Structure formats: structure tokens, C-alpha cells
Amino acid sequence: MRALVSHPPTGGAELREVATPPLPPGGVRVRVAEVGVCGTDQEIVAGRYGRVPDGADHLVLGHENLGTVVERAAGVQELTPGDLVVATVRRGCGACRFCAANRSDFCETGRYTERGIWRADGYLAEEYVETPAYLVKVPPSIRGTAVLVEPLSVVEKATEQGFGVLARMNAPSAAPAASPPAALVAGTGAIGMLASLVLRVRGWRVTAIDRHPSGTPAAGVLGAIGARHVDASAGSQALGSDRFELIVEATGSANLDVSLLDLLGPNGTLVLTGIPDPSAAPSVAMGARLRGLVLENQAVVGSVNANRTHFAAAVADLGRFEALWPGVTSRLIGERRPWEEFGDVFARRTPGLVKSVLVVGAAGDPPSLR
Ligand code: BGC
């Protein structure tokens, strides 16, 4: 079968023939329909991230996946050929208590694998095999946006972390209904946009900042869901004196991570999801910000990956988004390109284009995916 492979730590990407994996006992075979491309994939192709499976010379790319079950091993009950599925990304280390409890997103040893990223082949192939424990069924009603389930799962975990930290204060529930809590989302890529949707659907007032003037697809979607878009290219002054109870960061800029503390309200929580360059040396002053963090009971929490419960939450939320804002979520998918055009998709970044999707599925898949 064909697969899109990279060669970390060198990087690069090439479409080539690889062995079709045999169906394991208790497993299913999935024909891949489409795969989203994210910053992590760009990093792997650029030679800055990723690791090949032990003993292999290449890594099959792709972790934001959607496909159809085409075959199942004897005894598999949970899934049937024809089912639409999304596979989770991380597989546990087999040694720590979190992995033992199916919560490898909190793996303590760091010896996990991640399909398409770290020591395990991904989903940019005509087919893959997997056990049902790592597959989440998707209703056909959200087929058009289901390739966003994986990045949305990351947002589900990150916001759950933020809500959990805020809950530590056991705040009196006397807040007037007319003033819902205010959240800031930093970055309007897929993670930032999906965070805006998740927060809006939970009743938050949302402001999202990026460095683009209005008129981008992202700004259009923010308007459609009742969120405010602010172009912060000239700095955060554009926000006036606003401070926020919850900030979700989705840029990976170390400088911005630190600066966002200026925008955090008393008792507020800053959730970081972007993965900064390890050599970044923030040039912004830390002292006053750390002092403020202490004096105002603030918290900063990092969040990575997601477990199966977050994938299930993502599936449910995509249905909610569609019911509330019909047709809006699909506007986050800026382009669907045949996977043969991967070179073009990896090579460029179009400002305001939220998500590029590579279409793998053979002719015969519904036209809505093309
Ligand atoms: C993926 C996560 C993964 C992280 C770090 C992200 O792009 O969505 O599943 O844990 O990269 O490798």
C-alpha cells in the first residue's frame, strides 16, 4: 500500500510503497479517508521533532485521522465494517499507573508512543490496523468535520484542565447570569479556534487574538459564534484593560506564554497548549509577572495529548457545534487536497487558513469528503 513517510530526525516527506499490515487478533482494518495536517507534522517534516518506530528507517506520518472500518478479526463485537472511526494517538508505556488506567496522556515515564509522531506509524497510509480500544466511532451526521476530532480532543483535555484548576477556588456561585466569565484564546489556528468553539458552547464570553486583520476565515468563524476577534499584531493594547479568568494559549511562542500573564485576572488560570522551541529564551521580564502570579493566586498549567474520554467529548461537541451554528465548524477546514499534493501543503502556510486536510480515500468515498 502507499503511505506518506518521513525520516526523523532528518525530516522530509515522501509518498512510497510500504507493507500492508496484517490484521492482528482482536483488531480491525481501517481504510483511511482523510488526515489533517498540523504544526506537529510540519515540525517532523522540518526535522525538528518525531522519532521512527524502534528498528525502522521511516515513520508513517499523520495523526489527525478519519477512516472507515473495512475488516474485523474474529470475535470483534464493538465495530462493524462500514463504521466511521477516529483513532486515538498515544499508546501507553505499559509501566506507569496512568497508562495502566488508560490515561496515557498523563504518562509518567515518557516511554509512550504516539502514532504518526513518536515511535509508532501514523495514519497517512491507505490502511491501518488497530484494536477497538483505541478507536472512537463517529456518527455519519458529523462526517464532514470529523477529521477535527483529534485536535478537538486536545482542546477538550486542555479546557478540562483549565476548568479543573479554576474549580480549586470553589467560587461562590452568586455571579450574576448577565456577566458570564470571560476567556481569552491566544492564537487562531485549529487549536485556538476549536477552543473558542468549546468555550462559547459552554457559555463563556470569548475573545480570540492573533496577528491578522479582520477578514480572515478564522475571524469570520469567530463572528459567527459570537466571539470577539482582536488583531494583536501591534501588541495587547488592543484589548484595553480587559483581564481574563481563563486564557487558553495555542501559539507555541515562549515570549507570548510569559506575556499572557499580564492579561490574566485575579485567581485566573493560563493553560498552555502550544509547544515552544526548546532553545527559546524568553526576552520578556519574568520577575513582575511571577510576583503577580503569587499575589493574585494565579495558575499556569500545561496540557498535551488527550485520552479516549476526550475523543468522545470531541465527537459530542462537534454535534453540538453543528446544532448551534450550522455549517460554521466546516469553515475551519480551509482546503481538502489529494494527498499526492502533500509537498505543497507542507511547504506553505497561508495566513488565516485554519486547517489543511489531505484526502487519502479512494474513489467511492462520498463526494462530501472530496
Ligand atoms: C498531537 C498530540 C501529541 C502532541 C505531542 C500534537 O500535535 O495532537 O496528540 O501528544 O502533538 O507530540
Side-chain angles (χ1 to χ4, degrees), residues 38 40 49 63 89-90 114 117 150 154 275 304-305:
C38 82
T40 302
Y49 195 53
H63 60 278
V89 174
R90 194 175 280 192
E114 288 183 341
I117 302 174
E150 194 281 335
V154 169
I275 304 175
V304 70
N305 197 250

Side-chain angles (χ1 to χ4, degrees), residues 57-143:
D57 73 339
H58 66 262
L59 169 77
V60 175
L61 288 164
H63 60 278
E64 299 185 2
N65 64 95
L66 175 66
T68 306
V69 174
V70 290
E71 187 185 356
R72 63 177 177 182
V76 171
Q77 304 285 341
E78 302 90 328
L79 293 165
T80 314
D83 284 347
L84 205 53
V85 288
V86 172
T88 63
V89 174
R90 194 175 280 192
R91 304 292 174 262
C93 68
C96 83
R97 56 193 168 150
F98 287 101
C99 290
N102 296 322
R103 294 172 64 196
S104 59
D105 57 318
F106 281 113
C107 177
E108 292 176 310
T109 66
R111 291 199 297 270
Y112 56 79
T113 61
E114 288 183 341
R115 292 200 64 165
I117 302 174
W118 202 256
R119 294 176 47 222
D121 282 335
Y123 308 111
L124 266 167
E126 289 176 74
E127 296 177 357
Y128 69 88
V129 293
E130 193 47 277
T131 52
Y134 299 119
L135 293 167
V136 178
K137 204 170 150 178
V138 170
S141 56
I142 57 163
R143 180 172 189 143

Side-chain angles (χ1 to χ4, degrees), residues 12-357:
E14 58 167 323
L15 199 51
R16 78 170 207 204
E17 285 293 321
V18 299
T20 303
L23 185 65
V28 302
R29 183 180 302 283
V30 177
R31 182 175 302 146
V32 178
E34 51 184 19
V35 172
V37 173
C38 82
T40 302
D41 304 307
Q42 308 263 11
E43 292 278 298
I44 297 170
V45 171
R48 291 194 290 264
Y49 195 53
R51 185 170 289 182
V52 294
D54 297 348
D57 73 339
H58 66 262
L59 169 77
V60 175
L61 288 164
H63 60 278
E64 299 185 2
N65 64 95
L66 175 66
T68 306
V69 174
V70 290
E71 187 185 356
R72 63 177 177 182
V76 171
Q77 304 285 341
E78 302 90 328
L79 293 165
T80 314
D83 284 347
L84 205 53
V85 288
V86 172
T88 63
V89 174
R90 194 175 280 192
R91 304 292 174 262
C93 68
C96 83
R97 56 193 168 150
F98 287 101
C99 290
N102 296 322
R103 294 172 64 196
S104 59
D105 57 318
F106 281 113
C107 177
E108 292 176 310
T109 66
R111 291 199 297 270
Y112 56 79
T113 61
E114 288 183 341
R115 292 200 64 165
I117 302 174
W118 202 256
R119 294 176 47 222
D121 282 335
Y123 308 111
L124 266 167
E126 289 176 74
E127 296 177 357
Y128 69 88
V129 293
E130 193 47 277
T131 52
Y134 299 119
L135 293 167
V136 178
K137 204 170 150 178
V138 170
S141 56
I142 57 163
R143 180 172 189 143
T145 55
V147 72
L148 298 173
V149 165
E150 194 281 335
L152 182 51
S153 74
V154 169
V155 168
E156 298 288 356
K157 174 178 174 185
T159 49
E160 180 189 87
Q161 293 302 299
F163 300 149
V165 178
L166 288 171
R168 83 200 195 282
M169 290 178 303
N170 197 15
S173 56
S179 65
L184 178 74
V185 174
T188 57
I191 297 295
M193 291 303 297
L194 292 166
S196 298
L197 285 150
V198 163
L199 291 166
R200 283 296 298 138
V201 102
R202 309 232 186 309
W204 287 70
R205 273 183 294 145
V206 173
T207 299
I209 53 171
D210 58 17
R211 290 170 172 218
H212 306 305
S214 58
T216 60
V221 167
L222 290 166
I225 63 169
R228 177 168 69 133
H229 168 248
V230 172
D231 172 6
S233 45
S236 63
Q237 304 87 294
L239 290 167
S241 59
D242 290 359
R243 294 215 290 166
F244 301 87
E245 188 168 342
L246 178 65
I247 301 181
V248 178
E249 176 278 339
T251 69
S253 157
N255 267 337
L256 181 77
D257 289 355
V258 178
S259 306
L260 284 171
L261 287 170
D262 297 342
L263 299 171
L264 200 57
N267 311 322
T269 298
L270 166 60
V271 184
L272 305 178
T273 72
I275 304 175
D277 177 345
S279 63
S283 57
V284 291
M286 298 284 287
R289 289 169 168 118
L290 293 181
R291 179 186 166 99
L293 186 91
V294 174
L295 292 178
E296 295 199 304
N297 301 297
Q298 294 164 332
V300 181
V301 58
S303 180
V304 70
N305 197 250
N307 66 45
R308 199 189 159 93
T309 63
H310 304 115
F311 279 75
V315 170
D317 266 346
L318 282 177
R320 280 189 201 109
F321 300 163
E322 201 50 35
L324 263 178
W325 307 295
V328 170
T329 315
S330 63
R331 284 159 56 187
L332 299 180
I333 300 172
E335 59 175 4
R336 281 190 162 89
R337 306 273 294 269
W339 66 329
E340 290 84 359
E341 294 174 20
F342 68 89
D344 198 28
V345 172
F346 282 120
R348 90 192 132 59
R349 289 231 174 181
T350 309
L353 189 155
V354 178
K355 177 61 67 187
S356 294
V357 169

